[in-house]
């Protein structure tokens, strides 16, 4: 069951996207997890061969991985799933084994964003996405030319969620038509001007947030960063009771009801998917 204050949203003049689909979200979290297998701890890329444990749940997929610069260590894949007639662009997040260090070290440096006047974004997230941009577009062009009727979905977890937001903006800007994007544990990507532009110009991005996950609190609001809608929040492990939050993006009834927490386990578990087990065990090597 999903809940949203529709009267409030329409009083503000916004038409809220009520198309959140838990089945699509669970599919997206699987593809977000698979992205970590482009460079697991054992070093074997099992995405190109589509041989990882989670890959076997989507047996007919054809995928090609990409890798950003050594400095950013960005990675992910573009894939076609004939069973859904869907092309998926998925970005890996930060190594789950070092997520605490990543949280501690995250900076607050902003840079100008080229597609909207006065907009600023987190420089590190943007530069990291840019290091993959040419490869993503090249692979997407290849897949869309081969499967022109396929829909396009973009997803990612953690840092990968931030990269997914930039991919949605970039790909929409250059003319691709995308489906709603499901992401998980997304940090704040830009300032309020950027998020206002994003929600008006881009396809809807559902930011799924889990209970006291600390990453959606970063970089901090008081440092000039602001979340985009639409947050889809759930507490503990009862993800059947997801709440669709305020269109404004920063909803005190959702993730923001908590102070900045350090419950990393909430960040590494989404919709029943365990990112740590997926990454650190033999699951990526099967």
């Amino acid at each position: 069951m999903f809940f949203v204050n529709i009267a409030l949203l329409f009083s503000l003049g916004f038409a809220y996207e009520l198309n959140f689909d838990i089945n699509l979200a669970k599919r997206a979290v699987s593809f977000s997890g698979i992205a970590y297998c482009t460079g697991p701890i054992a070093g074997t890329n099992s995405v190109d061969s589509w041989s990882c444990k989670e890959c076997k749940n989507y047996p007919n997929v054809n995928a090609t991985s990409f890798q950003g610069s050594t400095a950013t260590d960005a990675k992910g894949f573009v894939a076609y799933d004939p069973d859904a007639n869907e092309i998926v662009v998925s970005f890996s997040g930060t190594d789950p084994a070092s997520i605490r260090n990543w949280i501690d070290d995250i900076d607050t440096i902003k840079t100008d964003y080229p597609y909207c006047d006065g907009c600023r974004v987190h420089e590190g997230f943007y530069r990291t996405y840019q290091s993959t941009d040419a490869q993503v577009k090249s692979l997407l062009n290849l897949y869309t030319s081969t499967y022109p009727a396929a829909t396009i979905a973009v997803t990612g977890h953690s840092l990968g969620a931030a990269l997914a937001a930039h991919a949605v903006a970039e790909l929409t800007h250059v003319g691709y038509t995308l489906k709603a994007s499901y992401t998980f544990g997304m940090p704040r990507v830009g300032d309020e001007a950027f998020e206002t532009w994003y929600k008006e110009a881009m396809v809807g991005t559902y930011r799924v947030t889990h209970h006291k996950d600390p990453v959606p609190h970063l970089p901090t609001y008081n440092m000039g960063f602001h979340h985009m809608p639409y947050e889809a929040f759930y507490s503990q492990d009862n993800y059947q009771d997801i709440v669709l939050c305020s269109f404004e993006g920063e909803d005190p009834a959702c993730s923001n009801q908590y102070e900045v927490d350090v419950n990393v386990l909430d960040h590494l578990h989404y919709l029943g998917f365990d990112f740590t087990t997926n990454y650190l065990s033999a699951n990526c090597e099967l």
Side-chain angles (χ1 to χ4, degrees), residues 8-275:
L8 173 60
L9 293 169
F10 278 95
S11 71
L12 294 173
F14 298 124
Y16 198 89
E17 290 280 354
L18 292 176
N19 297 320
F20 182 90
D21 186 319
I22 187 63
N23 293 319
L24 291 180
K26 291 182 73 173
R27 171 182 165 83
V29 81
S30 292
F31 279 90
S32 293
I34 290 170
Y36 283 88
C37 292
T38 56
I41 195 167
T44 301
N45 179 340
S46 54
V47 170
D48 290 332
S49 61
W50 205 250
S51 58
C52 68
K53 181 177 180 180
E54 191 66 20
C55 299
K56 296 180 189 302
N57 291 323
Y58 307 91
N60 298 314
V61 166
N62 173 274
T64 307
S65 63
F66 58 80
Q67 178 107 23
S69 66
T70 303
T72 66
D73 197 32
K75 50 188 170 286
F77 65 88
V78 181
Y80 174 66
D81 182 357
D83 297 326
N85 195 26
E86 181 177 78
I87 297 165
V88 180
V89 182
S90 182
F91 293 88
S92 174
T94 301
D95 179 347
S98 61
I99 189 65
R100 290 181 185 273
N101 293 334
W102 184 78
I103 290 170
D104 290 341
D105 294 341
I106 196 167
D107 63 52
T108 58
I109 300 171
K110 300 189 191 76
T111 190
D112 292 338
Y113 187 71
Y115 300 144
C116 66
D117 292 338
C119 295
R120 293 174 65 76
V121 295
H122 184 277
E123 182 176 48
F125 300 157
Y126 185 50
R127 300 303 179 212
T128 299
Y129 170 73
Q130 286 185 309
S131 77
T132 70
D133 180 65
Q135 293 178 72
V136 169
K137 287 175 180 172
S138 176
L139 289 171
L140 195 53
N141 288 340
L142 176 63
Y143 279 96
T144 54
S145 64
T146 306
Y147 309 105
T151 57
I152 303 171
V154 181
T155 191
H157 166 256
S158 193
L159 169 64
L163 305 186
H166 278 301
V168 167
E170 178 66 29
L171 296 175
T172 301
H173 177 76
V174 299
Y176 285 99
T177 300
L178 309 181
K179 291 172 58 176
S181 174
Y182 290 81
T183 66
F184 308 91
M186 183 191 288
R188 292 184 177 97
V189 175
D191 64 9
E192 188 167 4
F194 173 77
E195 305 303 353
T196 298
W197 169 82
Y198 188 101
K199 69 188 180 186
E200 292 174 353
M202 299 299 115
V203 67
T205 295
Y206 291 111
R207 295 186 300 106
V208 183
T209 58
H210 178 200
H211 200 216
K212 296 184 177 182
D213 180 350
V215 172
H217 294 277
L218 303 171
T220 63
Y221 181 81
N222 62 13
M223 291 290 186
F225 291 88
H226 195 282
H227 266 309
M228 65 184 69
Y230 306 103
E231 181 183 6
F233 169 78
Y234 71 100
S235 60
Q236 302 301 340
D237 291 322
N238 189 14
Y239 55 81
Q240 296 302 320
D241 289 331
I242 286 177
V243 177
L244 293 181
C245 308
S246 166
F247 185 87
E248 190 272 342
E250 298 282 351
D251 190 336
C254 292
S255 178
N256 277 1
Q257 69 185 279
Y258 304 110
E259 298 294 330
V260 176
D261 293 289
V262 289
N263 191 345
V264 175
L265 288 179
D266 282 352
H267 183 63
L268 297 175
H269 293 79
Y270 267 88
L271 306 186
F273 189 91
D274 184 335
F275 284 91

